[in-house]
Amino acid sequence: MRINIDTEVVIPINRLIGHKRGELGPYCFEAWRYALDGRENPEFVLNQPHYREAKFLLAGDNFGCGSSREHAVWSLADFGIRCIIAPSFGDIFYWNCFQNGMLPIRLPDDQVKELAAEIEAAEQPLVTVDLETQAITMPSGRQVTFTTDPERRAALLEGLDEIGMTLKLDAQIRGHQSRDRESRPWIYRREETARVARLLILAGDGIGPEILAEVRKVAEWFIAKRQLSVELREELFGISAWKTHGDLMRQQTWDEIVAADAILFGATGSPEYEKIPAAARKVDQLLRMRKELDLFCNLRPVRTLPALGASSSLRPEVIADCDMMIVRELCGGIYFGKPRGREKLNTGGERAVNTCMYTTGEIERIARAAFDLARVRSGRVCSVDKSNVLTETGGLWRDTVQALQDRHYPDIELSHMYVDNCTMQLVRAPKQFDVLVTENLFGDILSDCAAMVAGSLGMLPSASLGPVRPDGGRHALYEPIHGSAPDIAGRGIANPLGAIMSFALCLRFSLGLAQEADRLERAVDAAISHGARTADIVQPGEKSISTKAMGDAVLAELEQMQ
Ligand code: IPM
Ligand code: MG
């Protein structure tokens, strides 16, 4: 009848480890039941002949207070207790009882004391608790009624926990959902409506077609084996488009781009552009897609793959266990600022101008993306600028990111770094970074630099995301960050993993299939740790495999994991 019986007294913390549910009975009330020499303590109530096989416990106020360990209920149950009667309970202990088949009964203090006195005085302390009628029958035959939450009571009577109770309502829940879906379809996420997503492959120049052929194989595997609901479409992009259509971007291709749920992009860039009339190639079509689809949020994850440590120029201990996310602003800054141009000077020579320009809104939306990502990662953001010299754009960048953090992300740890220092820190101590947010040009440079942390530029994926539209969708383009590598194009030796991992990002960000994305990333890791190496990541003495064989190696791992 003591008050404040703590869960630590019910089951001591040192017994939680090494003993499973079902094995905890011997340790229930251990400190009270046994003397130090291990013999039973005859003073303790549950050791007395009168109460030895007790199935009910009468206790004082606040039974089961203290740590929330579920083991407290388990050990009591293992010991043989089925029901506890007390004026009040530790809150979590009380609900743990119902979840674990134990009946806790709350009765006023004086009633509990009366019951205790009556039981103590009885010759045969035989008590019955009937949960159906909610009545306690005392040795004298006297009945005491109690009440229990009706749903908890039903669950206990049927031996079900909360999940079990919910599952009983499965048919009703499904019925409700389908009626609800019909009456207001717009509140449901798009992927739930079994819509077929449109993925557009733009393989582009150089090694693009070779590596995107492997991405297609992987995507087709997910369609066949994982019921991925997508339609793969393909359009020519770059030099091949020029050669076939006499146009770098025919209207049909642009319409496909705008209509796609996601674009799987290969690469752009080739010496052959020189042969195209200057007017026709004036607009870079990749930059046009970024700008017109408003793909402002460029995510470039960089993580070390243990098996690839040797292919980096950095020492293994410097790059071990790195996992960072470069968040690059992709629609502003000097890439798109006006005025820009070259003009002849009367005095001879030329004058060339590019303009770096940012607005508060542009900075805020990319900083938000970085802070939101940090919330599901380590909670740290490093913002990179050059505000000591570019006091205008750099200053606005720093002020805006800081103000946003002050106002809306107090839980995030924000630091600021100058871009020159950041470049050095990336190769000196890359582990210090988690989420790195920066403007367009700095992001371009820093991400190539950070590639050495992963071992090879060929390994790095990227996602470029637009703002979320009212219908829940957003434009998105996924591309490896390496370029078109014209020097090795057509030889079948390029590394397709950056592109394949970009498809993993597509699964995650455009198709909402995080588990499938994880599956693909695991398959890539496995292929590498089983020794698959393209020429860019091969070590002296190792055998390198072709682009196609690398795609096959990933497929084989996917099959294996099924
Ligand atoms: C990148 C590339 C592009 C860029 C080129 C191909 C326009 O280097 O995505 O990093 O400068 O943004
Ligand atoms: Mg670049």
Side-chain angles (χ1 to χ4, degrees), residues 384-424:
V384 180
D385 61 48
K386 185 69 186 169
S387 56
N388 51 342
V389 176
L390 306 177
T391 46
E392 294 73 22
T393 48
L396 181 65
W397 182 276
R398 190 171 284 217
D399 294 347
T400 306
V401 174
Q402 186 61 56
L404 187 68
Q405 190 265 339
D406 290 344
R407 256 183 297 129
H408 297 294
Y409 295 91
D411 52 317
I412 299 292
E413 196 185 312
L414 171 66
S415 58
H416 301 274
M417 201 179 268
Y418 297 134
V419 63
D420 46 351
N421 181 27
C422 181
T423 319
M424 180 190 61

Side-chain angles (χ1 to χ4, degrees), residues 337-344 350-355:
K338 291 202 176 104
R340 64 187 292 163
R342 273 165 78 157
E343 59 187 7
K344 295 241 176 332
E350 283 178 83
R351 195 174 83 108
V353 180
N354 285 102
T355 304

Side-chain angles (χ1 to χ4, degrees), residues 184-256:
R184 41 174 197 169
W186 59 88
I187 72 153
Y188 286 89
R189 286 172 67 105
R190 293 193 314 158
E191 57 258 33
E192 284 180 16
T193 54
R195 202 181 132 273
V196 179
R198 267 169 95 149
L199 297 193
L200 176 64
I201 295 177
L202 298 176
D205 301 321
I207 59 173
E210 297 155 56
I211 57 173
L212 262 288
E214 300 314 306
V215 173
R216 177 182 269 280
K217 267 173 23 187
V218 170
E220 278 166 356
W221 185 89
F222 277 89
I223 293 169
K225 299 289 175 71
R226 304 293 309 163
Q227 289 76 47
L228 178 65
S229 177
V230 305
E231 179 192 352
L232 291 175
R233 306 171 72 96
E234 186 148 5
E235 281 288 318
L236 294 175
F237 182 97
I239 291 297
S240 55
W242 177 262
K243 286 182 179 160
T244 309
H245 308 304
D247 190 347
L248 280 174
M249 182 60 72
R250 59 180 181 146
Q251 190 56 41
Q252 181 186 323
T253 305
W254 187 254
D255 293 344
E256 288 279 344

Side-chain angles (χ1 to χ4, degrees), residues 3-128:
I3 61 165
N4 296 329
I5 294 181
D6 197 291
T7 52
E8 175 63 21
V9 173
V10 178
I11 182 81
I13 193 152
N14 61 324
R15 296 298 187 187
L16 304 189
I17 299 164
H19 297 101
K20 295 196 289 285
R21 183 177 188 169
E23 305 171 350
L24 294 164
Y27 313 108
C28 186
F29 293 120
E30 192 180 16
W32 289 351
R33 262 164 79 201
Y34 301 102
L36 284 179
D37 61 8
R39 270 185 297 175
E40 268 190 11
N41 167 14
E43 302 286 296
F44 181 52
V45 61
L46 294 174
N47 287 337
Q48 293 166 10
H50 209 58
Y51 302 112
R52 209 164 244 290
E53 303 285 303
K55 290 202 160 26
F56 310 124
L57 216 53
L58 287 174
D61 253 325
N62 203 21
F63 184 88
C65 58
S67 141
S68 62
R69 63 193 67 158
E70 219 175 2
H71 306 67
V73 181
W74 297 347
S75 72
L76 287 162
D78 293 350
F79 181 63
I81 303 292
R82 303 290 311 278
C83 164
I84 306 166
I85 303 168
S88 66
F89 291 85
D91 224 24
I92 298 177
F93 179 85
Y94 184 75
W95 297 114
N96 277 349
C97 282
F98 289 107
Q99 286 292 90
N100 291 283
M102 176 80 66
L103 172 62
I105 299 177
R106 288 190 191 119
L107 285 182
D109 193 39
D110 49 352
Q111 272 196 40
V112 178
K113 288 202 173 108
E114 255 174 52
L115 293 184
E118 199 173 316
I119 289 167
E120 222 162 287
E123 232 156 74
Q124 277 286 323
L126 199 65
V127 176
T128 315

Side-chain angles (χ1 to χ4, degrees), residues 330-492:
L330 204 59
C331 286
I334 202 163
Y335 270 57
F336 298 100
K338 291 202 176 104
R340 64 187 292 163
R342 273 165 78 157
E343 59 187 7
K344 295 241 176 332
L345 291 176
N346 298 334
T347 50
E350 283 178 83
R351 195 174 83 108
V353 180
N354 285 102
T355 304
C356 182
M357 199 197 72
Y358 269 108
T359 64
T360 308
E362 284 172 318
I363 301 168
E364 263 182 5
R365 65 177 182 169
I366 193 69
R368 259 180 209 288
F371 289 139
D372 288 341
L373 264 170
R375 277 194 173 149
V376 296
R377 293 174 58 102
S378 72
R380 287 180 295 125
V381 171
C382 177
S383 167
V384 180
D385 61 48
K386 185 69 186 169
S387 56
N388 51 342
V389 176
L390 306 177
T391 46
E392 294 73 22
T393 48
L396 181 65
W397 182 276
R398 190 171 284 217
D399 294 347
T400 306
V401 174
Q402 186 61 56
L404 187 68
Q405 190 265 339
D406 290 344
R407 256 183 297 129
H408 297 294
Y409 295 91
D411 52 317
I412 299 292
E413 196 185 312
L414 171 66
S415 58
H416 301 274
M417 201 179 268
Y418 297 134
V419 63
D420 46 351
N421 181 27
C422 181
T423 319
M424 180 190 61
Q425 296 299 338
L426 273 174
V427 288
R428 192 189 73 91
K431 253 189 284 273
Q432 68 185 286
F433 296 111
D434 189 65
V435 175
L436 224 151
V437 62
T438 192
E439 63 95 64
N440 204 345
L441 179 63
F442 297 160
D444 178 45
I445 299 167
L446 292 177
S447 56
D448 270 29
C449 180
M452 266 307 116
V453 169
S456 166
L457 197 55
M459 301 294 303
L460 293 193
S462 83
S464 306
L465 308 173
V468 178
R469 295 186 302 258
D471 70 355
R474 69 195 310 188
H475 285 300
L477 182 146
Y478 298 88
E479 59 175 319
I481 83 161
H482 60 67
S484 56
D487 50 327
I488 59 163
R491 289 170 52 199

